[in-house]
Amino acid sequence: MLMLYPNGVWKNVNYGYATLTEDGQLMKLDKEDEEERFSLQLYHWTATAMGTLKTLDGMVVVEPSSGRGGGLHYILKYLKAKKVIGVDISTAQIQWCKEYFAKEPAMEFLYGDAENLSKLPQLQPNTIDIVLSIDSAHLYPNFKRFCEEVDRILKPGGYFLITDFRETKFFEQAEREMESFSMKIVKKQNNTKNVVHGLKLDGERRKKLIEQHVHFWFRPFLRWNSGAEGSRIFKGLSSGKFASMTYVVQKPKN
């Protein structure tokens, strides 16, 4: 992604979220953020615990697999988090974020592994208010290990806020693994219809980005995974083979 879109054109790499209305809009955005509306709406939906948290004022938010940092910038700008920390296993992504967001002192980017968060000096046990995970955890080799690390670094009463998609049949196991330590699921919702609607509304933009920025050799692969109508992800979500779920998972307060 970094090689294909080096100039900040695509800062939010997820499959998006839309309300089930004609325009799908969930919240107001400044003009400069409008292009990536549906991807930002997935961040808003997840980071506010599906609308439960109106602001993240005073909170420290960590996002493993933070990618290009666009979602964390939204959380800082609109939800007023005290500090946001992105963790990614790609050194190129981390360096890009450090340069692109250099004028944002409340944004920090760290090279690290989602399954070993507590090994980072900045992420000590019982210190983080929110760990946020967006459309990435299904890729981790050991999801249970990731949940253990989240449980370790969260403060008592802290939240693990996660949206992810995977084959529908695997969510029961994922839920058991989220609750394998001290955290408990307090709220969950199936977002599949919202994601599919968002992909319909955002599909032309996704296709256009691929056509304008990607060498023709790589276009078939990216089209197949873009989420636009006709893609593997769109077909899987539409058929029920895949699902998108959001969870609010909380560590006990004491």
Side-chain angles (χ1 to χ4, degrees), residues 130-160:
I130 291 174
V131 176
L132 183 69
S133 181
I134 305 287
D135 279 357
S136 57
H138 63 280
L139 296 171
Y140 299 158
N142 190 335
F143 179 68
K144 185 176 180 180
R145 169 68 179 171
F146 169 56
C147 292
E148 181 180 19
E149 285 292 277
V150 172
D151 188 275
R152 182 173 288 126
I153 67 173
L154 280 176
K155 290 179 178 177
Y159 289 101
F160 177 32

Side-chain angles (χ1 to χ4, degrees), residues 149-206:
E149 285 292 277
V150 172
D151 188 275
R152 182 173 288 126
I153 67 173
L154 280 176
K155 290 179 178 177
Y159 289 101
F160 177 32
L161 305 176
I162 175 171
T163 294
D164 202 15
F165 74 93
R166 59 186 70 204
E167 286 194 48
T168 305
K169 63 185 179 182
F170 293 131
F171 273 104
E172 285 189 14
Q173 178 182 345
E175 290 178 9
R176 289 194 298 271
E177 291 177 345
M178 288 181 213
E179 295 191 321
S180 292
F181 307 97
S182 72
M183 300 185 297
K184 298 298 176 186
I185 297 168
V186 297
K187 189 177 181 180
K188 66 179 180 178
Q189 182 163 314
N190 188 318
N191 310 310
T192 306
K193 290 181 179 179
N194 304 84
V195 175
V196 170
H197 186 41
L199 288 171
K200 289 179 180 179
L201 293 171
D202 199 31
E204 288 306 312
R205 180 188 73 92
R206 291 170 179 265

Side-chain angles (χ1 to χ4, degrees), residues 18-251:
T19 60
L20 299 180
T21 59
E22 185 176 357
D23 66 9
Q25 294 191 7
L26 177 63
M27 72 284 184
K28 292 182 179 180
L29 287 172
D30 293 342
K31 185 177 179 179
E32 63 266 25
D33 299 318
E34 189 63 43
E35 185 177 1
E36 294 191 280
R37 163 172 288 280
F38 298 105
S39 290
L40 291 174
Q41 287 188 174
L42 186 61
Y43 271 93
H44 182 93
W45 175 248
T46 308
T48 61
M50 297 182 269
T52 302
L53 304 173
K54 303 305 179 185
T55 178
L56 304 186
D57 184 37
M59 297 186 185
V60 177
V61 180
V62 172
E63 183 188 11
S65 301
S66 54
R68 307 190 80 173
L72 286 178
H73 186 256
Y74 173 85
I75 289 168
L76 187 67
K77 178 180 178 180
Y78 290 93
L79 300 180
K80 308 303 180 184
K82 177 182 178 181
K83 184 175 183 178
V84 294
I85 302 172
V87 180
D88 204 282
I89 201 166
S90 167
T91 54
Q93 295 274 43
I94 292 298
Q95 186 58 38
W96 187 91
C97 288
K98 286 181 176 180
E99 293 173 4
Y100 191 85
F101 296 110
K103 295 182 179 180
E104 297 287 355
M107 299 186 76
E108 185 174 7
F109 294 94
L110 308 172
Y111 170 74
D113 177 0
E115 295 177 15
N116 291 285
L117 295 172
S118 64
K119 291 184 178 180
L120 293 169
Q122 298 89 339
L123 305 182
Q124 291 303 297
N126 303 306
T127 60
I128 303 301
D129 297 290
I130 291 174
V131 176
L132 183 69
S133 181
I134 305 287
D135 279 357
S136 57
H138 63 280
L139 296 171
Y140 299 158
N142 190 335
F143 179 68
K144 185 176 180 180
R145 169 68 179 171
F146 169 56
C147 292
E148 181 180 19
E149 285 292 277
V150 172
D151 188 275
R152 182 173 288 126
I153 67 173
L154 280 176
K155 290 179 178 177
Y159 289 101
F160 177 32
L161 305 176
I162 175 171
T163 294
D164 202 15
F165 74 93
R166 59 186 70 204
E167 286 194 48
T168 305
K169 63 185 179 182
F170 293 131
F171 273 104
E172 285 189 14
Q173 178 182 345
E175 290 178 9
R176 289 194 298 271
E177 291 177 345
M178 288 181 213
E179 295 191 321
S180 292
F181 307 97
S182 72
M183 300 185 297
K184 298 298 176 186
I185 297 168
V186 297
K187 189 177 181 180
K188 66 179 180 178
Q189 182 163 314
N190 188 318
N191 310 310
T192 306
K193 290 181 179 179
N194 304 84
V195 175
V196 170
H197 186 41
L199 288 171
K200 289 179 180 179
L201 293 171
D202 199 31
E204 288 306 312
R205 180 188 73 92
R206 291 170 179 265
K207 291 177 183 177
K208 188 176 179 181
L209 282 169
I210 292 170
E211 297 304 315
Q212 290 181 344
H213 295 274
V214 179
H215 191 283
F216 71 89
W217 286 350
F218 301 110
R219 287 175 193 169
F221 172 77
L222 286 182
R223 288 192 197 107
W224 189 234
N225 290 282
S226 67
E229 290 189 65
S231 69
R232 175 183 68 94
I233 300 300
F234 187 90
K235 289 178 178 179
L237 289 168
S238 298
S239 69
K241 179 181 179 181
F242 297 157
S244 173
M245 296 286 297
T246 296
Y247 295 90
V248 178
V249 191
Q250 189 172 25
K251 187 172 179 176

